[in-house]
Structure formats: structure tokens, C-alpha cells
């Protein structure tokens, strides 16, 4: 049983006071259930606040990015070990916004996944095609290439990661992949994981891209969808909690 994992991706949103309220609402509202896991990935400056607010609860927390380097002269960067000091369990790597706006290559994303694991964090590795790539029929080629780059770097330890399929055209757009579209790509990713190692086929594969309370249940009902990576809807405690129990 892989269970369900729902992870909030706050992106560059938040503030000390509003975070306090959101953390409290999540903590008070989340009733842990068998096979259900919940986490939030917050901006770096709020990791201490997540740790203070969520320690001892059933909600995990994480970061949204890390450097691929362990230490050194990299002004403005944050290492996996630094993030780990704040009790993080997860870190998102290779989000499409990082790939497109910050020019992160497949190789850099793979190095970040490896750096995360070296620091004891679970990387949430994002893959996904653009609208142009989908229309050109290259969805399979794109997500396979993105996953294979990480496998080439971490090998069978891919089993210790979380994958997130996030079609770029569905992120923040209100356009969601249909359950059939999501399931098709998830099945492909699962088969690819299985070809690396039978055990790796049990790595959670999350769907992301305009997941909302009103579409989560249908998406999560797909046999290869193990939960969601949720952006906008993770900023509202009520809706996020509804998604988490969908
Ligand atoms: P969205 O973002 O839910 O706002 O579409 C998802 C993500 O970018 O992880």
C-alpha cells in the first residue's frame, strides 16, 4: 500500500503573521489517518517557523529548492544540510518554475536530488511537459528524459525519492490534467521506475497542476496517482485539508 501524500508548495507566498494562522489551522484541522501523509514546502526564511509550529504534529515540512553544492562560495545559495538543520523532511527539486525561470537543466536537477539525499532529505523530483511539447506528442519523451537524468545520478536510490508529475500547462492556470491524462503519464513513470528496480516502483508519484478540492478526489482515485503537489490551493487551510483527505 503506497498510501497518499499531499504536499503544499507555497511558492513565494507567506509572511510571519499569516503563516502563524495557516500553520495553526493546519495543525488543528489535520486528523492523521492510516496511509495519509501531509507536508508543506515553505520559503527558506520560514523553515524555522514551520519547525516551531509543526514539530510534534503529524505534518511534515520542507523547502522548495536547494543548491546542488554542499558548501562554498555560492552567494545567495542554500545547501541541503542547512535546510536539514531545520527539521525538513522534503525538498522540491526541478519544479518547472526553476527549470524555466532559473534555467535549471536536467543535470542540475539530478545533482540537487543527490545533494538532498546526501543530507538525509527526501527530494520531491518534478517532471512535466509544456503545452507545446504535449501538442507535439513528446510528453513521454520529455518526462522520461527528466526522470532518466535523475536515475543516471542516483541509481536505485530513486526508490527513496518522491516523483511529481506536473504538466507545465496545468500549473497555476486552472487547467487540470484529466484523470486519464494524469494516469497515463503516471503509469509510464511507474513502469520506468520499475525498470530501474522492482522496489522503486513503490516510490510515490504525485500529480501537480491546479489541484483543487473539487478535482482532487477524481485524480487521487487513479491507480498510479499517490497524492498531489498543491500550489495555490495549499495557501487556504480549509481547501488544502479537504484535498489532503480526498
Ligand atoms: P498550482 O501549482 O497548484 O497552483 O497549479 C502546483 C505547483 O506548481 O506545484
Amino acid at each position: 500500500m503506497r498510501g497518499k501524500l499531499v504536499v503544499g508548495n507555497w511558492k513565494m507566498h507567506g509572511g510571519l503573521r499569516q503563516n502563524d494562522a495557516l500553520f495553526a489551522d493546519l495543525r488543528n484541522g489535520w486528523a492523521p489517518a492510516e496511509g495519509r501523509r501531509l507536508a508543506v514546502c515553505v520559503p527558506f526564511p520560514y523553515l524555522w517557523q514551520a519547525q516551531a509550529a509543526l514539530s510534534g504534529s503529524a505534518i511534515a515540512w520542507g523547502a522548495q529548492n536547494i543548491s546542488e553544492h554542499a558548501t562554498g562560495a555560492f552567494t545567495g545559495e542554500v545547501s541541503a544540510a542547512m535546510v536539514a538543520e531545520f527539521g525538513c523532511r522534503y525538498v522540491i527539486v526541478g519544479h518547472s518554475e526553476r527549470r524555466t525561470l532559473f534555467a535549471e537543466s536536467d543535470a542540475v536537477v539530478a545533482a540537487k536530488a543527490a545533494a538532498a539525499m546526501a543530507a538525509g532529505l527526501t527530494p520531491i523530483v518534478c517532471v512535466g511537459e509544456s503545452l507545446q511539447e504535449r501538442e507535439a506528442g513528446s510528453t513521454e519523451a520529455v518526462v522520461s528524459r527528466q526522470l532518466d537524468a535523475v536515475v543516471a545520478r542516483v541509481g536505485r536510490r530513486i526508490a527513496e525519492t518522491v516523483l511529481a508529475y506536473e504538466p507545465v500547462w496545468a500549473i497555476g492556470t486552472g487547467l487540470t490534467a484529466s484523470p486519464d491524462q494524469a494516469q497515463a503519464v503516471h503509469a509510464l513513470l511507474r513502469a520506468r521506475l520499475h525498470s530501474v528496480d522492482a522496489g522503486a516502483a513503490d516510490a510515490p508519484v504525485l500529480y501537480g497542476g491546479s489541484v483543487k478540492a473539487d478535482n482532487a478526489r477524481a485524480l487521487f482515485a487513479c491507480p498510479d496517482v499517490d497524492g498531489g503537489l498543491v500550489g495555490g490551493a495549499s495557501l487556504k487551510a480549509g481547501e488544502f485539508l479537504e484535498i489532503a483527505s480526498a
Side-chain angles (χ1 to χ4, degrees), residues 1-150:
M1 258 305 278
R2 295 190 303 267
K4 291 281 186 275
L5 168 64
V6 169
V7 181
N9 172 14
W10 285 12
K11 309 196 181 189
M12 200 170 74
H13 295 290
L16 290 175
R17 285 181 52 184
Q18 70 204 72
N19 302 347
D20 267 339
L22 184 46
F23 287 136
D25 287 347
L26 292 178
R27 199 178 164 134
N28 294 332
W30 179 237
E34 180 80 20
R36 295 272 172 177
R37 289 180 293 155
L38 185 62
V40 287
C41 290
V42 306
F44 293 131
Y46 304 136
L47 288 174
W48 68 270
Q49 195 184 11
Q51 183 175 33
L54 301 176
S55 285
S57 79
I59 304 172
W61 59 95
Q64 301 169 12
N65 181 35
I66 44 161
S67 170
E68 66 270 42
H69 304 289
T71 186
F74 300 102
T75 301
E77 292 291 274
V78 173
S79 74
M82 292 172 186
V83 158
E85 284 191 310
F86 290 89
C88 291
R89 179 171 310 162
Y90 298 104
V91 60
I92 299 170
V93 300
H95 189 280
S96 72
E97 286 149 19
R98 302 292 321 169
R99 292 179 189 264
T100 57
L101 303 174
F102 302 94
E104 290 188 9
S105 64
D106 291 341
V108 165
V109 173
K112 289 185 177 199
M117 285 197 277
L121 302 169
T122 299
I124 300 173
V125 178
C126 300
V127 301
E129 81 290 359
S130 67
L131 184 58
Q132 218 180 6
E133 289 164 336
R134 174 162 282 266
E135 286 174 346
S138 48
T139 298
E140 177 169 347
V142 170
V143 300
S144 300
R145 188 200 75 221
Q146 292 170 333
L147 173 56
D148 290 354
V150 181

